[in-house]
Amino acid sequence: MDGPLRAVVVADGRGFGGAQVYARSLVRHAPADLHVDVVTTAEHAPHLAADVEARGGRVVVVPTTVREERAPDLQRAVAGLRPDVVQVNLVDPASMLAALEACAAEAPTVATLHMRGEVPDPARARAAYAALHHVVAVSAEFAAVAREALGVPEERLTHVVNGVDPVPVVAPPGGAVPVVGALGRLTAQKGFDVLLDAVRRLVDDGVALQVLLGGEGREEAALRERAEGLPVRFLGVQDGPAALLAQVDVFCLPSRVEALPLVLVEAVSAGLPAVATDVGDVQLALGDVCVVVPVEDAAALAGGLRRLLADPAERAERGRRGAAVAREHLTAQRMAAQAWSAFRAALARPPAPPRG
């Protein structure tokens, strides 16, 4: 489709995490000829408003659609904005089917799949995805979920690696006791319990370190109990990653499930060496600069941390190379450009029936 487009970006979900940051990047780095409005929840609107309004768009607030059977408020909001295309950010494959159905009833609809997950009603899910013009998956693993569990045809599916706006390069403190930083929701997905077990192994072996853990979540009480007696400080909610990254020598993200974690890319962009688990696209995108270890393996995680904590020269070299990789290949500008290009091209084609 040629000429200016009116797009609506739908940003739902609970907690301002990766999917919502991605939505903000789509707005911030949208093509110049694209008018973008956003439909979102009251929780997310304050985080999105400045970027939307800077481009002359509107933010419309509706109740969450997550795990709802219908989404009438969202459908009315989309209809009132009269878009040429609606882009829906899916926090997982099936919890926002009502949003997909509501948007597809009003305008050509595309989506980004940000996570894997259960699909309790496969027939409804396949029908909802069949109505989409295109799906972008943020990891190769999630692209496979779209193909195999949701029936999205290969020609209507694009894998676009995550990216971030570069953050300032930091100067690690480099003190006598090195500092490990971690940041994210305090939930089982992020694997901070495994990090604490790795830290206990290091402490028991006489390795000097301090750990700064930022974020909040439902596992906080259990994690604090697990950290008893360890050199771990809980920092609570962070307004972005910059303050934490400026205080650490090594970044660590021990997630159980991810695509390519935005906070990990931000840490690498800031010039920090990192230890991360082999989830999503981490090995593909950052395997040459990060120490990548198996998921849920406290011994391997401890080994990766021990290696970097003991070698300032290796930390510095990985930090330099990582910053160059992130700033050249893993930017939000590239990510948004590839996603909008795929969505725009898809508008020339009608939706197709799902496979199988």
Side-chain angles (χ1 to χ4, degrees):
M1 181 179 294
D2 297 325
L5 290 177
R6 294 187 64 86
V8 166
V9 170
V10 176
D12 204 337
R14 297 185 176 93
F16 196 79
Q20 296 75 34
V21 173
Y22 176 100
R24 184 170 63 191
S25 293
L26 284 189
V27 174
R28 182 176 292 173
H29 302 295
D33 66 344
L34 197 66
H35 174 91
V36 185
D37 298 311
V38 169
V39 179
T40 190
T41 63
E43 178 185 10
H44 301 323
H47 301 280
L48 299 168
D51 287 287
V52 178
E53 292 166 1
R55 295 181 54 92
R58 294 174 55 195
V59 175
V60 180
V61 174
V62 297
T64 184
T65 67
V66 174
R67 296 185 179 84
E68 296 293 331
E69 281 300 306
R70 296 176 61 250
D73 296 291
L74 173 62
Q75 187 165 346
R76 283 191 291 270
V78 169
L81 293 169
R82 301 176 64 83
D84 298 304
V85 60
V86 183
Q87 188 272 338
V88 181
N89 289 282
L90 299 165
V91 293
D92 59 55
S95 67
M96 291 176 59
L97 295 183
L100 290 183
E101 293 162 348
C103 293
E106 298 300 329
T109 298
V110 296
T112 300
L113 180 60
H114 290 277
M115 187 56 67
R116 74 185 191 202
E118 298 298 321
V119 183
D121 188 345
R124 182 184 179 190
R126 283 177 170 254
Y129 280 81
L132 299 178
H133 281 64
H134 206 76
V135 175
V136 163
V138 297
S139 77
E141 178 189 4
F142 301 164
V145 170
R147 284 191 302 269
E148 296 161 13
L150 304 168
V152 178
E154 191 71 43
E155 65 272 16
R156 298 179 185 279
L157 180 62
T158 303
H159 168 206
V160 176
V161 175
N162 274 337
V164 302
D165 289 311
V167 298
V169 173
V170 299
V177 178
V179 181
V180 175
L183 176 63
R185 295 186 306 277
L186 304 186
T187 62
Q189 177 205 340
K190 298 298 182 179
F192 293 131
D193 55 323
V194 184
L195 172 59
L196 295 178
D197 290 347
V199 171
R200 192 169 296 280
R201 286 171 177 263
L202 293 171
V203 170
D204 289 346
D205 289 344
V207 176
L209 79 162
Q210 183 183 0
V211 178
L212 301 180
L213 179 53
E216 65 174 356
R218 57 182 175 272
E219 299 295 321
E220 181 171 350
L223 290 172
R224 284 182 177 274
E225 183 176 353
R226 202 180 196 107
E228 189 72 30
L230 297 177
V232 177
R233 186 150 59 95
F234 289 79
L235 301 182
V237 179
Q238 301 293 294
D239 184 16
L244 183 143
L245 297 181
Q247 301 176 67
V248 307
D249 298 284
V250 177
F251 189 78
C252 182
L253 195 63
S255 301
R256 291 179 165 93
V257 181
E258 295 277 7
L260 178 60
L262 299 181
V263 69
L264 175 63
V265 182
E266 287 171 329
V268 173
S269 174
L272 287 175
V275 181
T277 43
D278 189 5
V279 291
D281 286 345
V282 168
Q283 183 67 54
L284 170 71
L286 292 172
D288 290 339
V289 294
C290 291
V291 176
V292 182
V293 301
V295 175
E296 291 199 84
D297 189 334
L301 189 64
L305 289 170
R306 186 196 310 271
R307 172 178 169 178
L308 292 184
L309 294 175
D311 192 339
E314 181 176 359
R315 295 202 302 265
E317 174 61 19
R318 285 182 180 271
R320 284 192 295 271
R321 289 193 291 116
V325 167
R327 289 164 183 270
E328 182 174 357
H329 300 294
L330 301 174
T331 66
Q333 293 94 324
R334 173 209 51 82
M335 175 186 73
Q338 291 181 359
W340 282 120
S341 177
F343 295 148
R344 188 190 291 266
L347 295 182
R349 305 187 301 266
R355 296 181 298 107

